[in-house]
Amino acid sequence: MSLQKPIMRGLLAKRLRFHLPIAFALSLIAAAAFKYGVTEPRKQAYADFYKQYDAMKEFNGMKEAGIFESVRPSGE
Amino acid sequence: MLTSRALIRGLQSGLWRGVSSTSALQAGHGKAVDMMDCTVPQYNNRLDTPLPDVPFVTILDAGQEKLKEKEKGPWSSLSKEEKLALYRMNFELTYPEMRKGSHEWKTVVAGMLFFLGFSGLLVWWQRIYVFGDVPHTLSPEWVEKQTQRMIDMRVNPVDGFTSKWDYEKKQWK
């Protein structure tokens, strides 16, 4: 009843060989998911917003609402 | 309040200590577990220490003495039961027995949830009997005026607050 000699060396290397590719793959997937799930939609949202943006119209809307102190609504 | 909870935990650990100290341990060491002599090497059941400093059973009775004498001769003359008896004299638990684990986690989770719930009751009592009124700026009328002002100011119009407001129809999208 003699047992096989267990593996004495290279244990960390063996673990890294298995886990490092997985780690890199998952990190890349996480980065890609964030880029295409968050940053690209956000950039698109900003582009769409400013395509049809009329600054004077927005300013007049805010002025009439009465939130400014330097310029009051046209009624007063 | 705090001292009573510490008392309960002390009682619980005392209960568990009684369960874990078996008579086998006392046979090996000859005294109660509460009075361990830490100045001499200790026996331990650890996965990362295959060969502890001392054998499990140090005080041998007559049968065990005879076995130890027989161990000095050729081991092929030992029967299977004798080899197992020698193993158990040296070690308390086998590796599978060490790895087995217990049902203690259920008690732990139950106790944790119980005390979490108790804390919830205390927090509720505190909310009713200790805290004063909430500031007037959280009243519905104030929040309504606040929201209207945020809409007027065009807060976060791209992705955030007023991006959800329809300025033509004057309602939420």
Side-chain angles (χ1 to χ4, degrees):
Chain A
M1 46 152 227
S2 60
L3 297 165
Q4 229 186 352
K5 182 173 174 180
I7 299 175
M8 308 291 264
R9 294 156 179 270
L11 295 161
L12 179 65
K14 183 170 161 208
R15 181 187 165 81
L16 286 179
R17 240 180 81 84
F18 180 75
H19 282 94
L20 269 181
I22 295 175
F24 273 95
L26 284 178
S27 311
L28 285 170
I29 289 171
F34 192 81
K35 183 182 171 73
Y36 292 108
V38 179
T39 59
E40 285 304 313
R42 192 175 284 169
K43 288 202 278 188
Q44 193 57 42
Y46 272 81
D48 294 337
F49 179 79
Y50 283 110
K51 212 178 295 180
Q52 304 294 334
Y53 187 66
D54 183 359
M56 282 316 296
K57 173 163 167 260
E58 294 294 321
F59 169 73
N60 282 319
M62 285 192 254
K63 182 174 82 131
E64 297 311 322
I67 58 156
F68 292 130
E69 290 177 22
S70 54
V71 48
R72 300 308 302 165
S74 46
E76 295 172 21
Chain B
M1 265 297 150
L2 287 165
T3 51
S4 67
R5 226 177 298 175
L7 229 154
I8 292 167
R9 286 220 187 84
L11 281 170
Q12 279 184 339
S13 71
L15 258 162
W16 287 331
R17 200 188 296 166
V19 165
S20 66
S21 72
T22 61
S23 55
L25 263 165
Q26 289 165 338
H29 297 269
K31 46 181 131 169
V33 178
D34 305 76
M35 282 281 290
M36 263 171 46
D37 185 3
C38 293
T39 58
V40 298
Q42 299 288 328
Y43 174 79
N44 60 270
N45 287 312
R46 286 182 59 104
L47 295 172
D48 55 8
T49 315
L51 300 173
D53 300 327
V54 291
F56 178 55
V57 172
T58 44
I59 303 169
L60 306 169
D61 62 28
Q64 287 170 329
E65 289 275 1
K66 271 207 283 255
L67 197 52
K68 275 292 182 190
E69 285 302 315
K70 193 169 177 200
E71 195 193 16
K72 290 182 185 162
W75 286 347
S76 47
S77 66
L78 292 167
S79 73
K80 183 161 169 246
E81 290 77 24
E82 284 170 336
K83 287 181 197 167
L84 282 173
L86 282 167
Y87 180 90
R88 288 290 172 179
M89 278 160 60
N90 277 329
F91 306 105
E92 184 194 5
L93 301 173
T94 66
Y95 265 75
E97 283 168 11
M98 271 194 266
R99 290 196 185 104
K100 201 162 52 154
S102 68
H103 297 280
E104 189 186 357
W105 67 271
K106 297 178 197 172
T107 317
V108 171
V109 169
M112 186 192 86
L113 292 173
F114 175 79
F115 283 109
L116 212 58
F118 183 70
S119 309
L121 287 174
L122 291 179
V123 168
W124 187 10
W125 178 87
Q126 190 185 39
R127 176 73 184 79
I128 296 171
Y129 289 102
V130 177
F131 288 158
D133 281 331
V134 128
H136 69 100
T137 52
L138 295 172
S139 67
E141 300 81 29
W142 190 277
V143 170
E144 205 181 308
K145 284 196 274 181
Q146 183 178 288
T147 318
Q148 181 57 54
R149 195 174 146 80
M150 282 168 77
I151 290 168
D152 292 339
M153 286 198 290
R154 314 300 195 262
V155 168
N156 287 332
V158 181
D159 254 344
F161 194 74
T162 44
S163 69
K164 308 285 189 286
W165 177 261
D166 192 339
Y167 280 95
E168 269 84 61
K169 293 198 208 120
K170 302 245 189 290
Q171 63 187 21
W172 292 109
K173 285 185 189 163

